[in-house]
């Protein structure tokens, strides 16, 4: 059973920073972060390929950084200069043996 567990969410003021973590029970080479606002579709945020190549949604480019531990069992999302519109539940996703695996999500709320 593959498990992904996100942590690090919380309440932060606009302009502030948070660092999300995603711990996995197995090493997963291909991982990404997504986010979802209630009533809306889940939105891709950032991706890190096994090669180390990273990619970001335009809305977070230059503010968010995806990274991971070398053991491929810990994924991070450093979020800086947070905006109201970044408020969402953030999920990590891993591609494991041909299937997408999701964590339970962590809430990020950006408010004054």
């Amino acid at each position: 059973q593959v498990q992904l567990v996100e942590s690090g969410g919380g309440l932060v003021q606009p302009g502030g920073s948070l660092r999300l973590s995603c711990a996995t029970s197995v090493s997963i080479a291909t991982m990404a972060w997504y986010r979802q606002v209630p009533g809306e579709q889940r939105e891709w945020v950032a991706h890190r390929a096994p090669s180390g190549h990273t990619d970001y949604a335009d809305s977070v480019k230059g503010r968010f950084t995806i990274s991971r531990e070398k053991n491929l069992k810990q994924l991070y999302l450093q979020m800086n200069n947070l905006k109201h519109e970044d408020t969402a539940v953030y999920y990590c996703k891993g591609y494991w043996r041909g299937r997408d695996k999701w964590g339970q999500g962590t809430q990020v709320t950006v408010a004054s």
Side-chain angles (χ1 to χ4, degrees):
Q1 184 78 6
V2 177
Q3 290 186 324
L4 287 75
V5 180
E6 300 94 336
S7 61
L11 173 64
V12 63
Q13 292 186 343
S17 298
L18 280 176
R19 188 194 196 201
L20 305 184
S21 298
C22 173
T24 62
S25 57
V26 298
S27 297
I28 301 177
T30 301
M31 295 201 70
W33 286 99
Y34 285 73
R35 65 187 182 186
Q36 188 170 24
V37 175
E40 298 184 9
Q41 285 191 333
R42 196 166 292 188
E43 172 191 31
W44 168 75
V45 173
H47 168 86
R48 185 176 176 91
S51 64
H53 175 75
T54 58
D55 200 8
Y56 300 91
D58 287 343
S59 59
V60 307
K61 201 170 290 184
R63 300 188 296 121
F64 290 12
T65 303
I66 187 171
S67 62
R68 63 185 316 174
E69 297 290 346
K70 290 184 178 179
N71 64 9
L72 305 182
K73 297 178 75 172
Q74 194 83 6
L75 181 74
Y76 304 105
L77 186 67
Q78 177 67 41
M79 307 186 295
N80 298 327
N81 190 22
L82 283 160
K83 304 177 180 181
H84 290 289
E85 51 264 41
D86 294 319
T87 295
V89 177
Y90 284 72
Y91 299 88
C92 63
K93 187 191 81 170
Y95 187 70
W96 173 251
R97 293 186 177 176
R99 294 189 176 188
D100 288 336
K101 301 293 184 181
W102 296 89
Q104 84 290 346
T106 185
Q107 175 71 46
V108 172
T109 302
V110 184
S112 302

